[in-house]
Amino acid sequence: MKNIKLTIAILIMAIGMQSCNDDFLDREPLDAISDTNFWQNEEQLLLAVNGTYDFIKGKNTVDMENMADNTVWPTQTNYRLISTGNYNNDLGTLNTEWTQAYEGIRRCNHFLENYDKAEMPNEDLKRRYAGEVRFIRAYLYSYLTFLFGDVPHITKALNVGDPEIYGPRDSRDGIVSWILDELTAIAEDLPESYGAQDYGRITKGTALGWKSRVALFYEKYDVAESAARQVMDLGVYELYPDYYELFMTESDASQTTSNRETMFSRIYTTDISMHNLSREIHVPDQSARWNPTKSLVDSYLCIDGKIIQDSPLYNETTYDSLFEHRDPRMKMTILSPGSLWGGREDGNPENTDNTIFTAPKFNQDRQGSVTPTGYYFTKYCDLDAVPTYNRDENDIIIMRYAEILLNYAEAKLEQGTLTQDDLDQTINLLRERVGMHPMIISELASWGMDLREEVRRERRIELVLEGQRYFDILRWKSGDLLARDVKGIKKEFIIRQNDVENVPTDEDGYIIFLSGNTFDDSKHYLWPIPLAQRDLNPNLSQNPNW
């Protein structure tokens, strides 16, 4: 996989130059790369394949979590604006998402139009390369249709002047059918696994797993179930034994073969490609960028499997007690008192050990990490990377086996065929890993708990900070969740009351960090087509009510 990153820069140069076939020249340049002299051998083909991997989302996968209700960014950002519903078609992120996707699609189309020219002794390898690129193209169209609905469906490399550049949008349904067909076809050409040198490339399991995600989004539950089942039957993947460690650098699947849960990740490497996620989680002299919401914290069940409103184990008399007797994944995701942290001084003036977190900090004195909700994350936070800037080399997981199990359970549920045996093969494996009370259908019924709500809760808890919550809310048509105020802990739990003297609270004393959110069912389930794109192409229609 390191080869992929090392060659991307070269490929960018190559692709940039290949499109410069000036007609007025009668001969090919001897010192430049062109379509005529590039697509000739296996080495060049691999270079071109690796270049398309640059369009797989990395940390941006996690950043998209900011569009939903699990976390809140302390300052105004485009993703936070989307979460509030207070944005329009001129928001920069909309155009960035659009243009980057189509740039990647053009790169893929260009490869697929030319790769067959290469002379290679191994035709299976050539088909595999094409399969990898076709996956990336389908992946990019998946995000475009998730976010914008109907979009232009372009499967050839367009150049300036081509009339298709000014074409209309194509039907989302048609593109989704094409995506699912593509993923089905390329799964046959991709291997189940690779050697260490090629770790990170697209596998058969990744193609089928992505198919299950796309099918679930579009309520094609039979397709989602079948694709997830095929992944489960491969026998390639299994849950990593430690949920917390799974998101730490030392457990990256690119580093250790003991991680068979991560199916596909964006790999980061020292001094070549790094990000800043760990520091953002515990920024030691400013506000933490990632702040768990009350909504997320309240969604964790008690260890007995009951919701906090019904469990006799729930105790909210102190900040510390909030974390006790809860689903163990809560302490593995949200920083609890007594845990190691990288935020330096916390909100307890009597705490003399800056390596141990005891209480949330609200005063901006640049001596420690501040939280506007009273909560911090610990998931995905590598403490060694917190003191540095942009030196985090922890891989970002795009897909893991836990999601496949959740996809399978939900697809069965929505078809009315989910059984206790299905739960034991899926969700209860996730719970068993962390020592959580199993999900038992008869028990839920006797407790008055809704099975669909619990399957969805399980997905939220298991996959938090993995960039899926916003898309789950969209496909569940649960946009009302985004219209609610963003709240934090009870104000009375804060030790230094002077620091929050002017912070508003609700009628029960919980901090209100953000209000004024809105979600209009008539338009917010799709993003608007970016203003800049409609200026360039007047034939692009707009989504309803934008």
Side-chain angles (χ1 to χ4, degrees):
M1 186 65 183
K2 289 181 181 178
N3 291 337
I4 294 177
K5 287 178 287 188
L6 289 169
T7 55
I8 281 173
I10 301 173
L11 224 291
I12 290 172
M13 178 184 71
I15 297 299
M17 301 181 75
Q18 56 77 30
S19 61
C20 299
N21 290 330
D22 297 324
D23 292 335
F24 61 86
L25 294 177
D26 295 329
R27 60 181 182 177
E28 294 295 331
L30 300 178
D31 59 349
I33 300 173
S34 70
D35 280 341
T36 303
N37 64 22
F38 181 75
W39 306 94
Q40 296 183 348
N41 54 50
E42 179 179 334
E43 182 181 6
Q44 291 173 336
L45 216 57
L46 179 60
L47 193 68
V49 174
N50 289 350
T52 64
Y53 275 81
D54 196 33
F55 293 92
I56 296 291
K57 295 179 184 295
K59 177 178 171 287
N60 185 246
T61 299
V62 181
D63 290 339
M64 286 186 136
E65 195 84 354
N66 284 294
M67 297 190 293
D69 58 349
N70 283 337
T71 184
V72 63
W73 201 267
T75 55
Q76 196 69 278
T77 67
N78 282 356
Y79 280 150
R80 197 177 99 174
L81 278 172
I82 292 171
S83 77
T84 68
N86 299 305
Y87 65 103
N88 214 326
N89 62 347
D90 59 351
L91 191 69
T93 290
L94 311 183
N95 196 49
T96 300
E97 189 70 30
W98 180 284
T99 55
Q100 289 184 349
Y102 277 108
E103 182 184 350
I105 288 167
R106 189 194 184 283
R107 181 82 60 86
C108 295
N109 287 339
H110 185 246
F111 174 93
L112 294 168
E113 287 175 357
N114 290 282
Y115 82 99
D116 213 27
K117 299 174 184 173
E119 293 184 4
M120 290 174 55
N122 188 341
E123 286 296 319
D124 289 342
L125 182 59
K126 184 187 282 189
R127 279 195 296 275
R128 194 200 87 191
Y129 286 162
E132 292 176 49
V133 175
R134 288 168 70 185
F135 173 88
I136 293 169
R137 185 173 60 171
Y139 162 93
L140 293 170
Y141 268 118
S142 301
Y143 275 107
L144 282 171
T145 58
F146 289 164
L147 297 170
F148 296 105
D150 297 348
V151 295
H153 187 202
I154 300 166
T155 56
K156 69 175 188 178
L158 300 182
N159 293 302
V160 175
D162 287 342
E164 292 91 340
I165 290 177
Y166 301 101
R169 300 160 69 193
D170 293 293
S171 159
R172 176 198 244 187
D173 290 345
I175 300 172
V176 170
S177 294
W178 172 85
I179 291 171
L180 295 176
D181 288 344
E182 280 286 279
L183 294 171
T184 301
I186 63 180
E188 298 301 317
D189 293 331
L190 295 171
E192 294 182 0
S193 63
Y194 294 92
Q197 182 66 20
D198 282 324
Y199 178 81
R201 311 195 78 88
I202 310 296
T203 64
K204 179 175 186 174
T206 302
L208 292 171
W210 194 262
K211 181 180 175 182
S212 76
R213 187 188 293 189
V214 172
L216 205 60
F217 189 94
Y218 292 109
E219 300 180 342
K220 298 178 183 296
Y221 299 118
D222 57 335
V223 177
E225 176 195 341
S226 175
R229 184 77 246 181
Q230 288 181 70
V231 176
M232 294 161 69
D233 289 343
L234 286 176
V236 173
Y237 307 105
E238 65 181 16
L239 296 181
Y240 190 74
D242 190 308
Y243 179 82
Y244 174 78
E245 288 183 2
L246 177 62
F247 303 96
M248 295 296 116
T249 306
E250 59 268 25
S251 302
D252 285 342
S254 61
Q255 305 293 325
T256 173
T257 56
S258 63
N259 179 356
R260 294 175 57 192
E261 178 167 349
T262 300
M263 300 171 61
F264 185 41
S265 59
R266 182 66 184 262
I267 298 174
Y268 289 85
T269 307
T270 306
D271 295 331
I272 296 176
S273 175
M274 294 181 283
H275 57 82
N276 202 40
L277 180 57
S278 292
R279 181 175 177 82
E280 290 174 353
I281 290 174
H282 286 175
V283 185
D285 57 355
Q286 301 172 32
S287 292
R289 307 306 199 251
W290 302 87
N291 300 277
T293 63
K294 177 180 184 295
S295 167
L296 172 64
V297 172
D298 287 354
S299 68
Y300 284 89
L301 298 172
C302 285
I303 191 71
D304 58 5
K306 295 182 178 179
I307 59 175
I308 58 174
Q309 292 84 359
D310 293 341
S311 173
L313 300 176
Y314 184 63
N315 178 3
E316 197 185 355
T317 55
T318 66
Y319 182 74
D320 291 24
S321 69
L322 277 171
F323 293 85
E324 301 305 320
H325 310 300
R326 306 291 292 275
D327 184 323
R329 284 170 292 190
M330 179 169 160
K331 285 187 177 180
M332 300 176 189
T333 303
I334 299 170
L335 190 73
S336 60
S339 300
L340 290 170
W341 83 321
R344 296 171 59 203
E345 291 186 8
D346 66 10
N348 179 5
E350 297 183 1
N351 181 16
T352 57
D353 184 353
N354 284 352
T355 66
I356 302 295
F357 169 71
T358 64
K361 181 181 178 66
F362 286 81
N363 58 322
Q364 290 277 8
D365 59 3
R366 303 188 70 83
Q367 298 302 309
S369 188
V370 172
T371 169
T373 64
Y375 298 112
Y376 305 87
F377 281 104
T378 187
K379 181 177 177 177
Y380 254 138
C381 184
D382 186 335
L383 296 181
D384 291 336
V386 173
T388 64
Y389 176 72
N390 259 344
R391 301 287 299 173
D392 196 336
E393 57 189 50
N394 194 7
D395 295 347
I396 299 295
I397 297 173
I398 308 297
M399 178 183 292
R400 60 187 176 98
Y401 188 51
E403 181 201 341
I404 302 304
L405 300 180
L406 289 163
N407 291 355
Y408 183 77
E410 185 176 342
K412 293 274 288 183
L413 170 75
E414 296 300 339
Q415 295 175 93
T417 59
L418 181 68
T419 65
Q420 185 61 48
D421 186 52
D422 293 327
L423 285 178
D424 293 341
Q425 294 181 48
T426 56
I427 287 174
N428 285 336
L429 294 180
L430 305 179
R431 291 191 171 194
E432 183 181 10
R433 162 164 65 178
V434 296
M436 177 60 185
H437 185 85
M439 185 181 289
I440 302 171
I441 294 175
S442 59
E443 201 170 59
L444 293 179
S446 68
W447 292 344
M449 296 170 69
D450 180 71
L451 181 57
R452 175 178 287 112
E453 185 176 340
E454 294 314 306
V455 169
R456 292 179 175 184
R457 181 198 307 275
E458 194 72 21
R459 188 177 182 89
R460 181 181 192 180
I461 296 303
E462 179 70 25
L463 301 179
V464 61
L465 273 193
E466 296 180 52
Q468 298 214 38
R469 177 65 176 169
Y470 179 70
F471 299 97
D472 286 339
I473 287 175
L474 294 184
R475 66 187 179 85
W476 292 334
K477 300 294 183 287
S478 299
D480 59 301
L481 296 173
L482 301 182
R484 299 175 183 177
D485 291 346
V486 178
K487 299 181 181 180
I489 62 172
K490 278 187 174 178
K491 194 171 178 177
E492 67 186 57
F493 292 160
I494 299 167
I495 295 175
R496 289 168 51 98
Q497 284 289 308
N498 289 341
D499 297 334
V500 290
E501 190 174 9
N502 298 317
V503 174
T505 61
D506 67 9
E507 63 276 13
D508 296 314
Y510 294 100
I511 289 172
I512 300 176
F513 172 66
L514 190 62
S515 59
N517 294 1
T518 183
F519 192 94
D520 183 345
D521 283 358
S522 71
K523 68 176 188 178
H524 279 132
Y525 283 112
L526 290 174
W527 285 4
I529 302 302
L531 175 64
Q533 296 305 316
R534 298 194 73 210
D535 284 345
L536 291 169
N537 178 7
N539 293 316
L540 291 177
S541 59
Q542 186 53 281
N543 281 321
N545 300 311
W546 282 103

